[in-house]
Amino acid sequence: MAFGANSILDVGRWALFASQVQLSVTGQNISNVNTEGYSRRSAVLEEGINIDYKPGQMGTGVQVKEITRHFDELVERLYYDQASLSEKWGELYEQLQSVESLFNESSGIGISDSMSSYFSSWNDLSQRADHYGTRQDVVNKGSTLASTLVQADTSLANMQERIDAMIQDEVNTANTIMQQIAEVNRKINIQDDPGTNNANSLYDERARLVRELGTIVDINYIDNGKGNVTITTKAGQNLVDGEDYFSFEFGAPWKEKELHHTSPFEGQVYYEGESNFEYTLEFVESSAGSGIAGLVGSGANAAQFKVSLDGGKTWLTNDDGTVRLYNARPNERKVEVEGVNIWFGSDSSPLGSSSGNLLAGDRFIIRPSRTLYWVENTSSKQNVTPQADFTGAENEERVTGGKLGALFALRDQYIGKYRKKLDTLAEGLIWEVNRVHSQGAGLQKFNSVEGTYSVDAIDRALASDSTGLVYGDKLASGSSYLYIYNKNTGALVSNAALDFDPATPGTQTFNPDVHTLADVRDAYNDTFGSFLTASIVDNRLRLSAKDGYEMSFGADTSGLNAALGFNCFYQGQDAGSIEVNDMIATDLDYLAAGHVNGAGETNAGDNYVALAMFALREAEVSLSTPMEGTTNQTLLEYYNGLVGNVGADTNNVKFNKQFTSALAQDLDDRQQQVSGVNLDEEMSNLIKYQHSYTAAAKLITTADQMLQTVLSLKP
Amino acid sequence: MIRVVEENLVRQNKGMILLKLLLEEEFARLMNRDPQGVSQIELSIQELLRQLSVERRSVKRLLERIDPTVSRVRDLRPSLDEEEAKVMDELLEMLDKSEQQCAVQASKNHELAMALQEQSKSLLDFMHREIQPKNNNAYSAKGRFAVNSNGQANILRGRL
């Protein structure tokens, strides 16, 4: 083979092709300068084959070996971690700002203001105890306070609902992305031939999708080459495995049993009610060393369990700090735990009976709110709902980062906590106000009165967990006085404390751990049977004075009247249900500003209760939440503490957001330094390659001239 | 003399407010990952801190001159009339508040700076790890199979 003009033509041709490819790659870079997720590419040139010849090897030109993509896998992997955190805190911050504005007194809700004016109105009343305008003012202020609490609670609840919708959107997006990544992996496996035909745009597409997935959930990225990447959550649940993909599901509340492998228990836990907490129930030994907790039952020897609301880190306690134990009951004796009624039934039916002993350490887990699942296949799914303990430490076996982490934290840990505290405030307010009011007397005595609080069963001790009396746990041993008057003359006919056992000499006082609603009814009938009739209607106690008599409530050291809802200012049980007692709202005479004095008289100008109510403003009240235990402070201080909580949380989240976004941005910058398109560089490349192209063309012209010269040789 | 102490406290207060602004600016520059900007502002912060400590020393000297038994401004309070004491209380409270704000901001700056540094370091560490031979076992020139015991790259015994 001879080298000459022909081979030069060929060399020129290859050079033209190479320059064309380079120009085209540069053009692609330039045109995608603003495309998100596009990585800079370049054509890698390779010398053409050499042919041994004399005086030495002769090259055959140049060829384009491959088109590579500039991308730093390491930086990208670190970026996924930071981006997921940054997204989490960013989302949290954005949402918390709206929560903060909700608690901003100037925005119109003004719980603090309402509470101050409510207590001040009692002070006004104390100066004019029988003035109807002032009485109306107390009712109005009380009603405003109740409605501001309801409004705040409703706004927070709406926010939680909105968050649920947002979570559903994110779950749908994540599922679509996982599917897309698997599809891209499939295409990469088909099209990618490393070193020859690099599937650059598919790799870019995958990196973009993975970034997007990383903003929704915290991920681990394991690259096994080509389309064989494995993406899992940080906790290890597989999301994409090569061409296979898994999914998330945002679904119904959830419960699970984790029994010891030798546990003979056959049955299931059931619950009703709503809560943002995840309840972990763990059974304890009935006697030391036995290892057995016992059976589910209605009696005193039922198996006992403790409850944790933060995944088993801390257990709910009694007021004295000891771990609180609940009895495992069947359906008809549900046990109330932090707003949720819990009982045990058979595997298939909540009304059925369970069998077999429970062992110490057997656990049941209940999530009464909507739950995030990782779905492995149609028959197996796992609860991956983000969870944190009361110190804020996250459960690392669940989803922790990304928007999903943020939205769940917001729903359960932030808004959930604020709602719980608001409920505690409302409960404290209702109880304290009712406690004072129920021992007072208005301008009018009662002909009949019906309790506003009901029980689930009239034959269970009122302080028991399974009675269903809202304020049952506040009851104490003590006596409740009732005064009976002649309706026509107004003369005091009888006054006494309730006697719970007339057969025993002396007055037997109320004991919340023993006496039932039926006992209270009987005690009223036994003590005041000549003047009134006590009956139970719809599981509420009703007192009706007989003809010619009327009654007034007096001192009550047991809290029975407040707990049953007699002569109360407020009705309802939490921030969502608090309202002024219908009886007072419709008849101002029942508003108690005074009390029955030592002589059994009620005087129109008496301001005893009004003053006590005003003093409540400064009184330290015992308030307890599962997160913070029991605190003693005034209601106003408690609310201000809650507002402070929101502010501090927002500030904290803001810093975390700034912090993580700075780190994520730093990594993104580093990635951009490698994969970003620099127009200046591309322009200089363009000129370089253009000249190469011109030079190659020149080579062809030269070869052409050489051929012309050869052809023009005269034979 | 009390007036001079007051003036000193006012200057310290203003200094603290400025310090807080500078620290916030530093945080913003850290967020924008502008190391040059950070070092410029850091110089100003150090200078301001130096001036603040000069003010503190001078107020101490003043106190010694007023009453040798007194070591803190707060201790002067019993000897002041009500008006002066009120002003002094306000100034000290303000100073305390801005000092705490500065401390919080400074710790935020520190945390962010350390995290950025840590991130760069971890990238560098990774690179170092990648260039070290992972399999330390090698055959020596004489054909002896050498198991590297220390786990570190070893040029003399490595793959040469």
Side-chain angles (χ1 to χ4, degrees), chain A residues 439-453:
Chain A
Q439 303 180 67
L443 299 177
Q444 190 173 313
K445 298 181 178 65
F446 293 96
N447 285 322
S448 82
V449 58
E450 187 174 313
T452 52
Y453 297 108

Side-chain angles (χ1 to χ4, degrees), chain A residues 589-605:
Chain A
D589 283 340
Y590 288 118
L591 182 71
H595 74 311
V596 181
N597 64 19
E601 299 164 339
T602 50
N603 298 315

Side-chain angles (χ1 to χ4, degrees), chain A residues 617-693:
Chain A
R617 179 194 158 99
E618 302 293 334
E620 288 206 340
V621 172
S622 165
L623 299 160
S624 72
T625 53
M627 306 83 76
E628 292 168 357
T630 306
T631 57
N632 282 311
Q633 49 191 329
T634 69
L635 291 164
L636 262 173
E637 274 170 6
Y638 187 80
Y639 177 70
N640 291 338
L642 167 59
V643 176
N645 259 183
V646 180
D649 283 346
T650 314
N651 262 338
N652 196 13
V653 167
K654 182 182 176 190
F655 171 65
N656 281 333
K657 175 209 163 207
Q658 289 175 324
F659 181 84
T660 47
S661 76
L663 291 181
Q665 201 57 50
D666 180 51
L667 289 167
D668 191 43
D669 283 357
R670 282 171 202 265
Q671 183 63 273
Q672 286 305 316
Q673 281 166 12
V674 177
S675 67
V677 174
N678 180 341
L679 276 184
D680 292 343
E681 188 187 335
E682 298 302 330
M683 288 312 286
S684 74
N685 279 345
L686 195 66
I687 293 165
K688 194 164 85 185
Y689 300 147
Q690 196 183 355
H691 281 299
S692 302
Y693 187 83

Side-chain angles (χ1 to χ4, degrees), chain B residues 41-151:
Chain B
I41 212 152
E42 190 58 32
L43 287 177
S44 310
I45 290 174
Q46 297 302 328
E47 176 57 22
L48 184 58
L49 283 173
R50 193 188 62 75
Q51 288 179 20
L52 278 167
S53 80
V54 170
E55 292 289 353
R56 293 250 155 125
R57 279 203 298 276
S58 94
V59 83
K60 257 214 146 61
R61 278 198 301 277
L62 271 171
L63 288 177
E64 276 169 22
R65 274 162 55 196
I66 298 172
D67 179 353
T69 63
V70 159
S71 60
R72 305 184 59 192
V73 179
R74 249 174 244 285
D75 302 336
L76 276 182
R77 209 178 177 286
S79 58
L80 303 178
D81 64 42
E82 202 175 315
E83 187 68 22
E84 282 176 333
K86 199 175 157 216
V87 172
M88 197 69 90
D89 282 350
E90 274 171 12
L91 281 171
L92 286 173
E93 194 183 328
M94 217 193 297
L95 193 59
D96 194 41
K97 201 171 155 196
S98 44
E99 228 177 85
Q100 284 183 23
Q101 285 172 340
C102 284
V104 169
Q105 190 60 50
S107 82
K108 282 183 181 176
N109 293 5
H110 171 77
E111 230 172 287
L112 184 53
M114 287 307 286
L116 284 167
Q117 190 259 350
E118 193 65 31
Q119 189 157 287
S120 304
K121 194 170 154 288
S122 72
L123 282 168
L124 212 61
D125 284 350
F126 178 82
M127 239 163 63
H128 282 164
R129 278 202 303 279
E130 287 299 290
I131 56 176
Q132 283 175 3
K134 286 198 175 58
N135 184 0
N136 292 313
N137 305 329
Y139 286 96
S140 73
K142 290 181 180 167
R144 186 173 62 89
F145 182 69
V147 179
N148 195 334
S149 55
N150 63 11

Side-chain angles (χ1 to χ4, degrees), chain A residues 77-91:
Chain A
R77 239 172 284 171
L78 290 178
Y79 175 82
Y80 295 146
D81 291 356
Q82 284 304 337
S84 129
L85 284 176
S86 148
E87 201 64 39
K88 171 185 174 177
W89 293 112
E91 183 76 32

Side-chain angles (χ1 to χ4, degrees), chain A residues 72-148:
Chain A
D72 191 330
E73 290 283 354
L74 164 72
V75 168
E76 191 69 3
R77 239 172 284 171
L78 290 178
Y79 175 82
Y80 295 146
D81 291 356
Q82 284 304 337
S84 129
L85 284 176
S86 148
E87 201 64 39
K88 171 185 174 177
W89 293 112
E91 183 76 32
L92 255 181
Y93 179 56
E94 203 176 298
Q95 300 292 335
L96 265 185
Q97 276 176 308
S98 39
V99 179
E100 198 185 22
S101 68
L102 199 71
F103 281 97
N104 186 351
E105 288 285 311
S106 59
S107 71
I109 288 189
I111 292 175
S112 184
D113 273 355
S114 311
M115 215 185 305
S116 295
S117 355
Y118 170 65
F119 286 119
S120 300
S121 69
W122 281 102
N123 191 35
D124 295 343
L125 186 65
S126 72
Q127 285 149 27
R128 288 179 290 177
D130 52 353
H131 186 261
Y132 277 100
T134 321
R135 293 172 86 80
Q136 184 65 55
D137 192 44
V138 170
V139 173
N140 288 351
K141 294 280 165 58
S143 170
T144 308
L145 173 56
S147 64
T148 46

Side-chain angles (χ1 to χ4, degrees), chain A residues 394-410:
Chain A
E394 284 167 328
N395 180 350
E396 289 181 355
E397 289 174 12
R398 307 277 180 87
V399 165
T400 53
K403 285 184 194 156
L404 280 180
L407 292 170
F408 274 103
L410 194 71

